Amino acid sequence: MKTLLLTAALAAGFAFSSHAQTSAAMSDAEAFQKGTFQGATADLAHYNAVYQLDSDDPKLIQQTLRNLSNALEDTRLKGKITIELVAFANGTAVFRKDQPYEAQLTALKQKGVILAQCLNTIRERKISKDELLPIISYVPSGNGELIIRQAQGWALVHP
Amino acid sequence: MKTLLLTAALAAGFAFSSHAQTSAAMSDAEAFQKGTFQGATADLAHYNAVYQLDSDDPKLIQQTLRNLSNALEDTRLKGKITIELVAFANGTAVFRKDQPYEAQLTALKQKGVILAQCLNTIRERKISKDELLPIISYVPSGNGELIIRQAQGWALVHP
Amino acid sequence: MKTLLLTAALAAGFAFSSHAQTSAAMSDAEAFQKGTFQGATADLAHYNAVYQLDSDDPKLIQQTLRNLSNALEDTRLKGKITIELVAFANGTAVFRKDQPYEAQLTALKQKGVILAQCLNTIRERKISKDELLPIISYVPSGNGELIIRQAQGWALVHP
């Protein structure tokens, strides 16, 4: 009997979870029509996001770092989000010693942000690790990292 | 006995679901090789997508609105998709009263699309809500919204 | 009794799966702080990714094709990833006969990559299928394809 209840609860849990998501989307849409929508509700215990940086445009780099900080400070996510910044292709500029981002990146690392550089890019472009900040880590490929992270349930942000 | 069957069915359901997804991807790949692939199959009861707009380039804004309409009209999704358009950074332009998008946005709202503006952006850029269309809603941060929506299972589209 | 154990195992499995993901994110963050992080771990049997191409900038097209190849060759994903390249809007250029991408696309198709063109785009722009390479397939809308694929658990990559 206990088993039956547990099983039924379990089954109901999944049905509820799926139904709840559709309902949540619909009630957000209704709230928006009424003018009372104030953003999606963050009811999970923890969130993860991977930020993609593949441009060396200083404006876009600054916007990416600012966006990332805004996500860390969003009242809905503060204290319960892990973020990884993945740089590849031209985006490698953000980690170069001769670029002006070291202070911002160090501050982000102190807040727990993972700083990851694509190894494929530095191999293809013959960039030495000595040209990049020592505070970063390396991943086999930036694209592989984006794909595996999403399969793990991480959100993607590409400013 | 009933319990055992229910439990087994439940377990099989999950195994099937995971296996089915891998099989679906593989049979789509096979169909493509044979020249018979016609697009992914939409077998869910409902879909949700969040559109990211962070540019004030008029061409990109128009493309985003057109893309969004195409998704609403896609025969596979029509009548079973909820879409939220999230504007932040330069993308705030789409919601400005002095820009030419009011008619298109009103039509999208009538079709159920949620129109959401990042509060961080207007605070940082000292933009008054009076400068923006009254038909929109506000969210704490555009990036937080993108992250929470994806964690809720929404698809991301960034034209 | 068997049932109880099976049910408990099932329940524990889900709790573990959710807990394991949060733990994985946290231990990656810790490894990064210690300087031992080497990229996300790919412990699934199979991965799927959809690549979005909506630009006719030759540099971006080349980067997209290179990125896609890098993902296929990432040591973590090699032999266990299905990729679909979806072209729409200006991105349709990649599939034009008068553009120089046929050899690269044929090689990708031989590696199992799905090449999908948005039908909406060619209808709106009055592009004939005769102008495009015969090796591709067509999907109702590029945006619908991106949304359905993500709902199926595919990762999105937009170079």
Side-chain angles (χ1 to χ4, degrees):
Chain A
M1 189 58 188
K2 229 188 220 167
T3 319
L4 186 63
L5 288 175
L6 182 56
T7 314
L10 207 57
F14 297 114
F16 176 74
S17 154
S18 163
H19 179 69
Q21 279 210 6
T22 304
S23 298
M26 295 200 171
S27 67
D28 281 349
E30 278 170 33
F32 172 68
Q33 294 292 336
K34 289 180 198 155
T36 58
F37 177 65
Q38 295 186 296
T41 304
D43 42 21
L44 297 183
H46 197 79
Y47 289 81
N48 299 303
V50 60
Y51 273 67
Q52 170 183 349
L53 181 52
D54 52 1
S55 163
D56 57 4
D57 173 359
K59 276 189 191 167
L60 192 73
I61 293 178
Q62 283 298 359
Q63 187 180 327
T64 301
L65 300 178
R66 202 165 44 238
N67 280 187
L68 201 158
S69 296
N70 281 344
L72 287 172
E73 296 302 320
D74 187 300
T75 48
R76 297 171 292 178
L77 297 172
K78 195 165 184 170
K80 58 176 192 173
I81 181 165
T82 300
I83 295 183
E84 177 173 339
L85 172 63
V86 177
F88 61 94
N90 290 344
T92 303
V94 73
F95 294 147
R96 291 190 63 86
K97 286 178 181 167
D98 57 14
Q99 294 290 315
Y101 308 110
E102 183 172 6
Q104 278 169 284
L105 292 169
T106 300
L108 289 175
K109 182 168 182 172
Q110 278 161 2
K111 289 179 183 171
V113 175
I114 299 173
L115 308 171
Q117 167 61 39
C118 171
L119 276 170
N120 259 339
T121 300
I122 65 168
R123 199 176 300 124
E124 282 170 4
R125 301 188 179 197
K126 305 196 192 310
I127 296 168
S128 156
K129 287 186 179 180
D130 289 340
E131 299 171 55
L132 304 181
L133 297 170
I135 58 172
I136 65 172
S137 282
Y138 294 85
V139 298
S141 82
N143 273 241
E145 193 73 7
L146 297 182
I147 292 166
I148 298 167
R149 285 309 192 193
Q150 289 179 76
Q152 290 175 339
W154 293 45
L156 171 70
V157 187
H158 184 201
Chain B
M1 189 58 188
K2 231 187 219 167
T3 319
L4 187 63
L5 288 174
L6 182 56
T7 315
L10 207 56
F14 298 116
F16 175 75
S17 154
S18 163
H19 179 69
Q21 279 211 6
T22 303
S23 299
M26 295 199 171
S27 67
D28 281 349
E30 277 169 34
F32 172 67
Q33 294 292 335
K34 290 181 199 156
T36 58
F37 176 65
Q38 294 186 298
T41 305
D43 42 21
L44 297 183
H46 197 79
Y47 289 81
N48 299 303
V50 59
Y51 273 69
Q52 170 184 350
L53 180 53
D54 52 1
S55 163
D56 57 3
D57 173 0
K59 276 190 191 165
L60 193 71
I61 293 178
Q62 283 297 0
Q63 188 179 327
T64 301
L65 300 177
R66 201 164 46 236
N67 280 186
L68 202 158
S69 297
N70 281 344
L72 288 173
E73 296 303 320
D74 187 300
T75 47
R76 297 172 293 178
L77 296 173
K78 194 164 185 170
K80 57 175 191 172
I81 181 164
T82 300
I83 295 183
E84 177 172 339
L85 173 63
V86 177
F88 61 94
N90 290 345
T92 303
V94 74
F95 294 146
R96 291 191 64 86
K97 286 178 181 168
D98 57 14
Q99 294 290 316
Y101 308 110
E102 183 171 6
Q104 278 170 284
L105 292 169
T106 300
L108 288 175
K109 182 169 183 172
Q110 278 160 2
K111 289 180 184 170
V113 175
I114 299 173
L115 307 172
Q117 167 61 38
C118 170
L119 277 171
N120 259 338
T121 300
I122 65 168
R123 200 175 301 127
E124 283 169 5
R125 301 187 178 198
K126 306 197 191 311
I127 296 167
S128 156
K129 287 186 180 180
D130 289 340
E131 299 172 56
L132 304 181
L133 297 170
I135 58 171
I136 65 171
S137 282
Y138 295 85
V139 297
S141 82
N143 273 242
E145 194 73 6
L146 297 182
I147 292 166
I148 298 166
R149 285 310 193 192
Q150 289 179 75
Q152 289 175 339
W154 292 45
L156 170 72
V157 188
H158 183 201
Chain C
M1 190 58 189
K2 232 188 218 167
T3 320
L4 186 63
L5 289 176
L6 182 56
T7 315
L10 206 57
F14 298 115
F16 175 75
S17 153
S18 163
H19 178 70
Q21 279 210 7
T22 304
S23 298
M26 295 200 170
S27 66
D28 281 349
E30 277 170 34
F32 172 67
Q33 294 292 336
K34 289 181 199 156
T36 58
F37 177 65
Q38 295 187 296
T41 305
D43 42 22
L44 297 183
H46 197 79
Y47 289 82
N48 299 302
V50 59
Y51 274 67
Q52 170 184 349
L53 181 51
D54 52 1
S55 163
D56 57 3
D57 173 359
K59 276 190 190 165
L60 193 71
I61 293 178
Q62 284 297 0
Q63 187 180 326
T64 300
L65 300 178
R66 202 165 44 236
N67 281 187
L68 202 158
S69 296
N70 281 343
L72 287 173
E73 296 302 320
D74 188 300
T75 47
R76 297 171 294 178
L77 297 173
K78 195 164 184 170
K80 58 176 192 172
I81 182 165
T82 300
I83 295 183
E84 178 173 338
L85 173 63
V86 177
F88 61 94
N90 290 344
T92 303
V94 73
F95 294 146
R96 291 190 64 87
K97 286 178 181 166
D98 57 14
Q99 295 290 316
Y101 308 110
E102 183 172 5
Q104 279 169 283
L105 292 169
T106 300
L108 289 175
K109 182 168 184 174
Q110 278 161 0
K111 290 179 183 172
V113 175
I114 299 172
L115 308 172
Q117 167 63 37
C118 170
L119 277 170
N120 259 337
T121 299
I122 65 167
R123 199 176 302 125
E124 283 170 5
R125 302 187 178 198
K126 306 196 191 311
I127 296 167
S128 156
K129 287 186 180 180
D130 289 341
E131 299 172 55
L132 305 181
L133 297 169
I135 58 171
I136 65 171
S137 282
Y138 295 84
V139 298
S141 82
N143 273 243
E145 193 73 7
L146 296 182
I147 292 167
I148 297 167
R149 285 309 192 192
Q150 289 179 75
Q152 290 174 339
W154 293 45
L156 171 71
V157 187
H158 184 200

